[in-house]
Amino acid sequence: MSAWRCALVALFISVSLPASAILGGLPDGDAPDSPERRVDPDGCESPWAGVVSVLIGNGVFSGVVVGDRWVLTAGHVAAGRRLSPGDVRVRVPCGPLTAGVLEVVPHPGFAGYKSDRINLDDLALLRLREPLPEAVPRYPLFDRPPARGIVLTLVGYGGGGNPRDGVTVGARADTKRVGENVLDDWVSRPGQGPAAYVWDFDGPDPASSLLGGPSLGNRREATVASGDSGSPAFVRDGEHWSLVGINTFQIQLPAKPPKISVPPPHFGSGGGGMLIAPYAAWIRGVIDAAR
């Protein structure tokens, strides 16, 4: 990693916020966008029918099916319900059906969300009371380090909006949105390999591209915002969609000359989450141990 990127990471970990909604482009951009255009069909016909809403109290979050009775989400979403898993429900769009949670299994390294850093190990598995119907997709794990520059497809149940006005439509358990961004860089654990990924939210002005690379375009580029932590990031892997990460944070990025950029979820901000590859053995071990 270059000296500039090292300095960048040191700066943006001090302004990390929980992640969430899929927020797209401007309504009056070159290719006009809207929150409604980002909505995915909420049923079995969608390739994202295994992306689920996680319901805790009045909160709506996201997760993804990784086994017959297992959903993966962010640790900061569900870890606090480890002793009361009955407080957590999962709404599965393919049906639809609402599933009860028998067990919450946070990653053992997750010690709670802190806003002054990118929180590694921010993952939790939800064990459902009953197996899911066969029609619900179970997504394979992308268990090798992804390359910088790959396109991520972000799918979640948070609110919608645009980069000028922020979130304008609240999160709903039955409204799933889809967008894309590019994996711009990794965050590594000291002495080890990459554990998290980051992107920037590029607008039409090149000055908003703080991690490099052009925008994917007003109708494709997206980021996360408050309301949807635990949403999955997918990559196309041959003929299949594979789970490459779980979105867990949004960040302010240092601009040039050095200063803190606009707050998320506006153009020039960023986001990211936990890579699946370094956690794949833990995910499979928890699932296998419960069989």
Side-chain angles (χ1 to χ4, degrees), residues 1 107 120-121 145 148 186-196 275 277-279:
M1 184 181 289
H107 188 278
L120 302 182
D121 308 326
R148 290 189 182 97
W186 302 311
V187 177
S188 295
R189 197 185 302 273
Q192 301 181 35
L275 284 169
Y279 298 102

Side-chain angles (χ1 to χ4, degrees), residues 180-206:
E180 296 174 280
N181 210 308
V182 171
L183 192 159
D184 287 311
D185 213 341
W186 302 311
V187 177
S188 295
R189 197 185 302 273
Q192 301 181 35
Y197 55 93
V198 293
W199 65 70
D200 58 6
F201 190 21
D202 299 322
D205 183 351

Side-chain angles (χ1 to χ4, degrees), residues 96-115:
L97 62 91
T98 300
V101 172
L102 181 66
E103 183 182 13
V104 174
V105 186
H107 188 278
F110 182 64
Y113 199 94
K114 299 176 177 62
S115 62

Side-chain angles (χ1 to χ4, degrees), residues 79-136:
R81 296 303 195 276
R82 184 171 190 172
L83 299 180
S84 54
D87 295 344
V88 185
R89 294 170 295 134
V90 171
R91 183 187 180 278
V92 182
C94 186
L97 62 91
T98 300
V101 172
L102 181 66
E103 183 182 13
V104 174
V105 186
H107 188 278
F110 182 64
Y113 199 94
K114 299 176 177 62
S115 62
D116 62 343
R117 68 198 68 185
I118 289 177
N119 296 267
L120 302 182
D121 308 326
D122 190 359
L123 294 171
L125 281 159
L126 309 178
R127 184 185 180 192
L128 306 181
R129 292 187 176 277
E130 302 291 340
L132 292 169
E134 291 185 5
V136 179

